[in-house]
Amino acid sequence: EFEQNLQKWFNNKNVQTLNAGTSALHMALHLLKKPKPHWDEDVFQGVAYVSHNWPGLEPGDEVLCTAMTCTASNWPVLANGLKIKWVDIDPKTLNMDLDDLKSKITEKTKVIMGVHWGGYPIDLDKLRDIRTSFRSKFGWAPAVIEDGAHSFGSEYKGKKIGNHGNLTMFSLQAIKHVTSIDGGILISPHDELHSRGKLIRWYGIDRDGDRKDFRCEDDIPEWGYKFHMNDVNAAIGLANLKEIEEKVISKVKDNANYYNEELKNLKGVTLLENKSEYDSAYWIYTIKVDRQDDFMRMMEEKGIMVSRVHERNDKHTCVKEFVTNLPNLEKTIGKVVNIPVGWWVTKKERKYIVDCIKKWK
């Protein structure tokens, strides 16, 4: 029932639930390992997520990734035997710098892992144009996986994230807009990928199949994982989904819009880009400040919880072989602070937060 309600909410039949957003990313990469030489170019509303002659993924293929995210975004790349190639960030959005991405694509690039920072969508049209240019050279285009862990309720040019022709993950972890305590969603732009995913998420067994003995499965043509969502998580997710529009997303966006107005043009504070056609769900509200440590210490003294939320992923030992120069990230990471924006922040509290920031020098 939870899955069916999610399909209605996204207006997309190819929605399936899993036990974690990380599992959804891992499975998305796994699904792309299989070549498909005859996928239609117009697989989803005129947008091809993988092109004709898709070669599949092989060990050592490159995935273009952002280091400005949770490690959960990037470790599935390593778990699938693929190589990370870091892309710099756009300081105005903290999303991928698509010009840097374009300069780093090679014939070994099979996947682009785009993260919508805080829920603010990456420029999906520009990303499609880059892929179209690539396809004209090589006859196929890299697949796009959208990491929408922050983006439940975000829209790009009037359509909900998850409906732009790419494999898309959402997180239902404990502190997300919709929670099932832990869980994830994978949206597939192609019926075949969706069908394979439903099998792979539970060992490759067809749970809907007609079996004489439920404990004895039919032949399994493709092995899978234990990534399915259990009934307890689904029940919690279903209850939360009923509250999402009125009690969560609308309140979060109202808080964010208040900050957008009250904190603009404030000396020492820089707001991120906020274009109307890029409708963020504002899972977090990010600002940039000149003296990060001093600012965070001041806010803590005022009783306001703030956080950087994520460490840059490229600093860890386990990915030292992929280190590259990321000048925008280097200049920006020491300025990023996230202030409270959730549905629980009252009008009185958000005014107090703004007043404290305005007094900071």
Side-chain angles (χ1 to χ4, degrees):
E1 186 181 354
F2 180 39
E3 200 165 270
Q4 291 171 351
N5 277 265
L6 285 169
Q7 290 169 349
K8 292 176 183 177
W9 196 84
F10 284 104
N11 192 27
N12 191 323
K13 62 185 176 63
N14 288 343
V15 178
Q16 60 183 290
T17 55
L18 298 101
N19 61 3
T22 309
S23 298
L25 290 177
H26 187 101
M27 193 168 77
L29 289 164
H30 182 84
L31 288 170
L32 290 172
K33 289 178 179 177
K34 190 174 181 179
K36 185 67 177 178
H38 302 300
W39 261 320
D40 191 344
E41 284 288 351
D42 298 319
V43 292
F44 188 87
Q45 297 182 5
V47 180
Y49 72 102
V50 292
S51 59
H52 233 47
N53 302 318
W54 170 246
L57 290 176
E58 298 178 355
D61 282 342
E62 295 174 350
V63 181
L64 295 181
C65 301
T66 175
M68 189 74 182
T69 185
C70 178
T71 51
S73 299
N74 291 314
W75 286 187
V77 177
L78 306 179
N80 277 278
L82 305 168
K83 290 186 177 295
I84 291 172
K85 180 180 274 190
W86 299 118
V87 177
D88 209 351
I89 62 165
D90 178 349
K92 299 190 301 296
T93 65
L94 306 190
N95 287 333
M96 275 182 166
D97 180 338
L98 295 186
D99 291 326
D100 188 49
L101 180 145
K102 186 176 181 179
S103 73
K104 289 178 175 175
I105 286 181
T106 71
E107 199 169 359
K108 290 290 289 181
T109 302
K110 294 290 184 65
V111 179
I112 298 166
M113 187 80 79
V115 176
H116 305 298
W117 177 267
Y120 190 78
I122 196 168
D123 188 338
L124 293 170
D125 286 346
K126 185 172 182 178
L127 190 55
R128 183 181 59 199
D129 291 342
I130 292 170
R131 293 173 60 249
T132 299
S133 177
F134 183 99
R135 184 169 60 242
S136 67
K137 292 181 180 179
F138 300 109
W140 55 273
V144 173
I145 299 174
E146 296 178 48
D147 182 332
H150 299 179
S151 306
F152 200 105
S154 297
E155 295 187 3
Y156 176 77
K157 297 190 175 180
K159 290 197 300 185
K160 287 183 172 119
I161 292 297
N163 287 287
H164 295 86
N166 305 311
L167 283 156
T168 307
M169 174 277 277
F170 294 91
S171 171
L172 302 174
Q173 183 260 349
I175 57 174
K176 297 301 192 295
H177 283 350
V178 173
T179 177
S180 59
I181 304 303
D182 206 355
I185 297 168
L186 182 64
I187 299 180
S188 304
H190 194 285
D191 290 345
E192 180 183 322
L193 283 184
H194 179 66
S195 297
R196 281 180 60 216
K198 288 182 68 175
L199 297 176
I200 289 171
R201 69 178 173 177
W202 197 58
Y203 306 120
I205 298 173
D206 185 357
R207 303 182 77 179
D208 299 322
D210 183 15
R211 304 203 298 273
K212 293 180 181 179
D213 185 338
F214 184 75
R215 302 304 306 172
C216 299
E217 64 274 357
D218 290 333
D219 178 56
I220 297 174
E222 184 178 5
W223 63 269
Y225 304 93
K226 193 177 191 295
F227 284 170
H228 68 291
M229 177 178 283
N230 66 54
D231 290 342
V232 174
N233 291 131
I236 294 168
L238 181 61
N240 274 268
L241 185 62
K242 294 175 181 177
E243 311 285 328
I244 185 62
E245 293 285 1
E246 182 177 348
K247 295 188 177 181
V248 179
I249 292 176
S250 63
K251 291 184 177 180
V252 171
K253 288 185 177 181
D254 184 59
N255 285 336
N257 289 330
Y258 177 80
Y259 293 147
N260 288 340
E261 287 300 314
E262 294 294 322
L263 298 177
K264 65 183 180 182
N265 303 320
L266 194 62
K267 186 177 180 180
V269 175
T270 302
L271 303 186
L272 298 186
E273 179 183 280
N274 179 36
K275 294 181 179 179
S276 59
E277 66 267 34
Y278 292 53
D279 186 8
S280 178
Y282 287 107
W283 179 66
I284 51 179
Y285 189 93
T286 305
I287 61 176
K288 293 186 292 184
V289 296
D290 293 336
R291 304 192 317 277
Q292 184 188 67
D293 290 343
D294 292 343
F295 179 87
M296 294 179 71
R297 191 178 303 112
M298 179 276 295
M299 295 293 274
E300 183 179 357
E301 291 171 354
K302 299 292 187 181
I304 302 168
M305 175 64 73
V306 296
S307 173
R308 290 169 52 210
V309 176
H310 296 310
E311 180 58 87
R312 55 185 295 175
N313 289 188
D314 59 332
K315 69 174 289 182
H316 297 294
T317 301
C318 61
V319 288
K320 63 181 180 181
E321 66 180 289
F322 308 122
V323 169
T324 190
N325 186 33
L326 303 172
N328 289 340
L329 179 60
E330 188 68 35
K331 289 184 290 187
T332 304
I333 192 71
K335 298 181 178 181
V336 170
V337 178
N338 297 279
I339 63 176
V341 73
W343 56 267
W344 57 87
V345 178
T346 66
K347 291 182 178 180
K348 181 179 179 180
E349 288 169 338
R350 74 188 188 187
K351 183 180 184 303
Y352 174 70
I353 291 169
V354 165
D355 289 344
C356 290
I357 295 173
K358 287 181 175 179
K359 291 176 183 176
W360 178 72
K361 295 181 181 179

